[in-house]
Amino acid sequence: MQINYLDAVSSVLNLMKQPDSPCKNIQMHKTCYSTLFTYLFETGTPFSMETALEWLDMKRQGLSDETCSQYANALFRLEHYLLFGNIDVPFCRSDESFLCRSGMSDTFFFLVYELEDYFSVTQNPSYYHTYSVAIKEFFKTATSLGVTEPEAITIEILLEYWNSHCTRLPLNKRQNAVCAMTTLMKYLHRRGDVPACYQLVLFGENAETLSNMKIPYVGRIFHPSASLDPKVDEFMDALDEWRYLDSSKNLYRNDLMWYFIFLEFNHIDHSDQSAALWISMLPEYSDQKKANCSVLARRVHTIKMFCDMLHGEMDSNMVSPRKVSCSIPVWSKKILDGFIDARRRDGMVTSTLQMCHAAGLRFFSYLDKHGISSADKITPAIIADFHGQDSHSTPESKNAYSVKLRQLLRFMADIDLTAPTLVFAVPTSYAPHRDIVDVLSDEMVEKIYDYRKTASTPLELRDSAMVMLGLRMGIRGIDIINLRLSDFDWKNKTVSFIQQKTRTAVTLPIPTEVGNSVYLYITKGRPKSADSGNGYIFIRHQAPYVPFTVTTVCKNTLKRVLSKYGFELLPGQGFHMTRKTFATNLLRSNNKLDDISNALGHARRENAEVYLERDEKGMRMCPLEFGGVL
């Protein structure tokens, strides 16, 4: 050991003699090393840094402070050479600067110097001296808990450091410690030691919030979010394709990091159940006024979008509901899937298929709860009981679901699963009827034209174009949102498309004011779309900039235009009023019923007869006698 000691001392002194070495006090180092060697030789003690520091402690009373400081620097330089093979340290900062007295594992001790180099090259060097005390305290805490490698750090270690050290510090020093941990975790993530979410664990007041998110069952998964980190980049790429702003993407990323922290804290892997559990434990923020705009609502939306992406179902920012048909037994799921396939072959549109699926799911779930395990056990009494408890918001809605249930029972009879007469067990709770058509008042129509004249913002231009297409051309909302640039023949002033509802192709003349409104929106109001929005005329004005998938936007557009002038739509009224107003105006202008039907793209002439009752002037010309009434 003495030979190694002498070789190390010789190497240190030779390095100090180099021209580029900042260490010039060679004589004091020689004196320290030779005096220590004499002590080791006379006592027969092998060299170690612990022994060298114990020797220095014994010598302190007989030496001046300056000499003690120089001896400490000499020993510190010697240890540094033994550890790193160089002497690139200017002085001994404290007694804890020695590995043997640092309270850190070897790996953490080396990491301290690695961080110093990192800060000197890629960061502000002064930050290291600001954060180094907190970083060393964290490494000492981790070592005391048996964690000696950075890749073994867990959230529990960070929280223990927070509770045992940070909470006792003054505010300014506590904030400095949090910044130090955030920087350290970012660096360790770059090294691949910890997942990305660790940098947020102590940020702000997160440690206090996280303590309330511990579940009774603690799993055994180590760093469960590590495999999800690359998925976040895929998620951000999708948001980028939909033209999300960087500020919005940062919020979504932060939300996912919170979910990952939850997984890490409880050592559980990701699943739909884990995501639902996290949602149930999220705190609400009292300063959020609108429930649908709160931090909680956004985080719920974020995790559902992320789950959709993992399931391969995220094609927009609209969250896809999890298919719940898997929650019904296999026998009934097979029947329901076959029923939906049959209806799809019949040419039913997506909305009709969704209602068929929902009606079947309600029915089979009820059967499962009441112990019905096969189709041959379905009785008229069971069907009547189901119908009696199957509640809906309106009689019309209940009747619509009853129609789908009858179709399902007929399908089951066709494949010989039930008796053909079983369908008659579904009561008719709502008789067919026809209401008088709701149309926009003349004053409302006048204000819509006023709105068109003053529209200037992108949203106003879009609202004006949509409403004018409905009011002046009678186009349904679903067809408006599906209009493409290629549908318009600007030279001949026509628009051609296939109607979503009837699957019939129509070509309609474009009134001048409608064409101008659409053109103004395209040239001055329409934002640059995401790839999926290319070709569509109407797209979202907030990320993602993609086409609309539901006609609610048309109803909201009409409500927004009318509300500017103090008008409100009554319950049950929607954008379809523009189509009805268009048809009524044609009728009042003495157009023939066949022409009105063609303009509306009706499959049958009879569909236009509903508008006759709105022509009060015409109806007064053909009164009926009261004979037989009195």
Side-chain angles (χ1 to χ4, degrees):
M1 187 66 185
Q2 290 181 355
I3 297 176
N4 291 338
Y5 169 73
L6 292 176
D7 288 343
V9 166
S10 177
S11 298
V12 170
L13 295 176
N14 286 333
L15 289 173
M16 293 180 67
K17 294 176 182 178
Q18 299 301 314
D20 58 346
S21 173
C23 309
K24 302 303 181 183
N25 196 353
I26 299 177
Q27 188 58 46
M28 186 62 74
H29 282 64
K30 286 182 178 179
T31 302
C32 173
Y33 296 148
S34 61
T35 306
L36 173 59
F37 175 78
T38 300
Y39 169 78
L40 296 174
F41 181 79
E42 291 177 350
T43 59
T45 306
F47 167 77
S48 68
M49 286 307 304
E50 290 87 347
T51 301
L53 292 178
E54 290 174 359
W55 166 78
L56 181 60
D57 288 339
M58 291 186 296
K59 298 282 290 181
R60 287 186 186 279
Q61 293 184 357
L63 300 173
S64 66
D65 292 340
E66 176 63 23
T67 301
C68 284
S69 177
Q70 292 293 335
Y71 277 19
N73 285 332
L75 295 179
F76 182 59
R77 197 156 282 121
L78 175 61
E79 184 188 51
H80 196 274
Y81 173 79
L82 293 173
L83 292 173
F84 301 104
N86 60 63
I87 58 171
D88 297 336
V89 284
F91 56 87
C92 178
R93 298 170 181 82
S94 68
D95 198 46
E96 292 180 351
S97 298
F98 291 95
L99 169 61
C100 58
R101 295 192 179 181
S102 66
M104 293 180 272
S105 69
D106 292 1
T107 304
F108 286 145
F109 190 79
F110 296 152
L111 191 54
V112 168
Y113 290 97
E114 184 179 318
L115 283 165
E116 186 173 14
D117 292 339
Y118 165 72
F119 274 92
S120 65
V121 175
T122 62
Q123 303 288 325
N124 188 332
S126 63
Y127 285 176
Y128 174 78
H129 299 293
T130 303
Y131 297 154
S132 61
V133 173
I135 291 173
K136 290 177 182 177
E137 286 292 338
F138 172 73
F139 285 158
K140 289 164 63 177
T141 299
T143 302
S144 69
L145 295 173
V147 175
T148 59
E149 303 294 329
E151 59 265 27
I153 292 173
T154 62
I155 286 182
E156 287 84 352
I157 304 298
L158 281 164
L159 293 182
E160 176 60 28
Y161 169 73
W162 171 265
N163 293 324
S164 64
H165 179 73
C166 297
T167 53
R168 301 198 305 264
L169 297 174
L171 178 61
N172 62 329
K173 291 187 177 181
R174 185 164 68 246
Q175 292 173 337
N176 178 77
V178 169
C179 293
M181 289 302 100
T182 301
T183 304
L184 174 62
M185 293 303 129
K186 285 182 180 179
Y187 180 72
L188 294 183
H189 173 61
R190 288 183 53 179
R191 283 171 42 109
D193 295 324
V194 299
C197 63
Y198 275 54
Q199 60 195 268
L200 294 180
V201 173
L202 300 186
F203 187 79
E205 301 297 328
N206 290 352
E208 302 296 336
T209 303
L210 186 59
S211 62
N212 298 321
M213 299 184 72
K214 193 74 172 178
I215 61 177
Y217 166 75
V218 178
R220 297 185 177 182
I221 308 297
F222 186 73
H223 286 176
S225 70
S227 61
L228 296 175
D229 279 341
K231 299 296 183 181
V232 177
D233 293 332
E234 294 181 25
F235 185 69
M236 292 299 129
D237 288 342
L239 298 185
D240 191 54
E241 290 178 4
W242 296 330
R243 308 294 179 184
Y244 272 80
L245 298 176
D246 288 341
S247 57
S248 298
K249 290 190 291 184
N250 289 337
L251 288 175
Y252 280 113
R253 185 185 292 275
N254 183 274
D255 294 340
L256 291 177
M257 291 302 104
W258 254 108
Y259 172 58
F260 293 173
I261 290 174
F262 169 76
L263 298 179
E264 292 285 332
F265 189 35
N266 293 288
H267 298 280
I268 56 176
D269 214 342
H270 163 73
S271 66
D272 288 347
Q273 292 74 23
S274 299
L277 181 59
W278 175 67
I279 289 173
S280 69
M281 301 182 72
L282 281 173
E284 184 52 283
Y285 292 79
S286 58
D287 60 340
Q288 299 294 324
K289 296 181 180 180
K290 295 182 179 180
N292 62 342
C293 297
S294 67
V295 174
L296 173 60
R298 190 194 69 234
R299 286 180 172 171
V300 171
H301 185 69
T302 301
I303 193 60
K304 288 184 177 179
M305 284 177 64
F306 187 69
C307 289
D308 277 353
M309 188 201 74
L310 296 180
H311 286 283
E313 300 172 358
M314 190 181 75
D315 53 6
S316 77
N317 78 325
M318 304 303 176
V319 175
S320 303
R322 294 270 79 78
K323 293 183 178 180
V324 291
S325 56
C326 58
S327 64
I328 60 177
V330 175
W331 71 270
S332 55
K333 182 180 184 300
K334 185 176 180 180
I335 295 173
L336 182 56
D337 291 344
F339 172 58
I340 299 301
D341 287 341
R343 298 299 288 158
R344 185 179 290 109
R345 289 194 296 272
D346 290 339
M348 297 298 103
V349 297
T350 302
S351 59
T352 301
L353 295 177
Q354 289 173 342
M355 180 177 285
C356 290
H357 185 273
L361 193 62
R362 282 171 175 254
F363 179 59
F364 285 126
S365 297
Y366 179 84
L367 296 182
D368 184 46
K369 290 180 181 178
H370 290 78
I372 305 300
S373 57
S374 62
D376 58 358
K377 295 182 179 180
I378 302 175
T379 64
I382 286 291
I383 295 174
D385 290 342
F386 165 74
H387 186 272
Q389 60 82 46
D390 188 32
S391 60
H392 294 269
S393 58
T394 64
E396 293 91 342
S397 175
K398 187 175 181 69
N399 187 59
Y401 272 77
S402 297
V403 170
K404 305 309 177 190
L405 178 57
R406 293 190 193 98
Q407 294 171 351
L408 173 61
L409 292 172
R410 290 192 185 98
F411 168 78
M412 295 171 66
D414 290 342
I415 59 177
D416 299 325
L417 293 178
T418 60
T421 56
L422 203 58
V423 66
F424 300 117
V426 183
T428 302
S429 61
Y430 192 78
H433 77 294
R434 191 175 77 186
D435 292 326
I436 296 178
V437 172
D438 287 329
V439 297
L440 298 170
S441 67
D442 292 341
E443 188 177 3
M444 287 180 176
V445 173
E446 180 183 351
K447 295 303 181 184
I448 289 174
Y449 278 98
D450 290 343
Y451 185 92
R452 173 186 170 272
K453 292 177 182 178
T454 60
S456 58
T457 68
L459 185 60
E460 289 175 346
L461 291 173
R462 190 186 74 185
D463 289 349
S464 176
M466 281 185 162
V467 174
M468 291 302 293
L469 283 165
L471 182 63
R472 291 289 286 114
M473 298 182 66
I475 303 178
R476 296 183 182 91
I478 186 63
D479 294 323
I480 289 176
I481 65 175
N482 287 327
L483 285 175
R484 293 175 175 265
L485 294 170
S486 57
D487 295 334
F488 283 76
D489 182 348
W490 297 104
K491 181 178 180 180
N492 295 310
K493 298 182 179 179
T494 60
V495 59
S496 304
F497 57 92
I498 297 176
Q499 295 182 113
Q500 179 80 9
K501 182 176 181 180
T502 63
R503 300 296 185 183
T504 58
V506 294
T507 298
L508 303 174
I510 305 174
T512 300
E513 60 267 32
V514 177
N516 289 342
S517 295
V518 174
Y519 180 79
L520 278 174
Y521 170 65
I522 293 173
T523 57
K524 295 185 178 180
R526 186 181 183 276
K528 184 178 181 180
S529 71
D531 291 342
S532 59
N534 289 343
Y536 287 88
I537 290 180
F538 298 105
I539 62 172
R540 290 169 51 91
H541 279 210
Q542 290 181 332
Y545 297 99
V546 296
F548 295 103
T549 57
V550 293
T551 57
T552 308
V553 62
C554 296
K555 178 180 179 179
N556 293 338
T557 293
L558 180 60
K559 290 173 62 176
R560 193 158 47 239
V561 172
L562 294 178
S563 65
K564 182 176 181 179
Y565 303 99
F567 296 109
E568 292 184 5
L569 295 179
L570 298 177
Q573 295 179 337
F575 187 79
H576 208 64
M577 289 180 68
T578 61
R579 178 176 170 86
K580 296 173 180 177
T581 303
F582 168 72
T584 300
N585 289 338
L586 288 179
L587 186 65
R588 290 173 177 173
S589 300
N590 299 320
N591 287 280
K592 295 180 180 180
L593 203 59
D594 287 336
D595 294 335
I596 297 174
S597 182
N598 291 333
L600 294 173
H602 283 157
R604 299 190 306 273
R605 176 182 183 275
E606 292 79 12
N607 291 340
E609 293 179 356
V610 68
Y611 300 104
L612 291 173
E613 61 211 23
R614 297 300 311 191
D615 184 13
E616 298 177 5
K617 181 178 178 181
M619 292 187 70
R620 288 194 180 99
M621 297 175 65
C622 52
L624 299 177
E625 296 181 358
F626 284 98
V629 177
L630 299 177

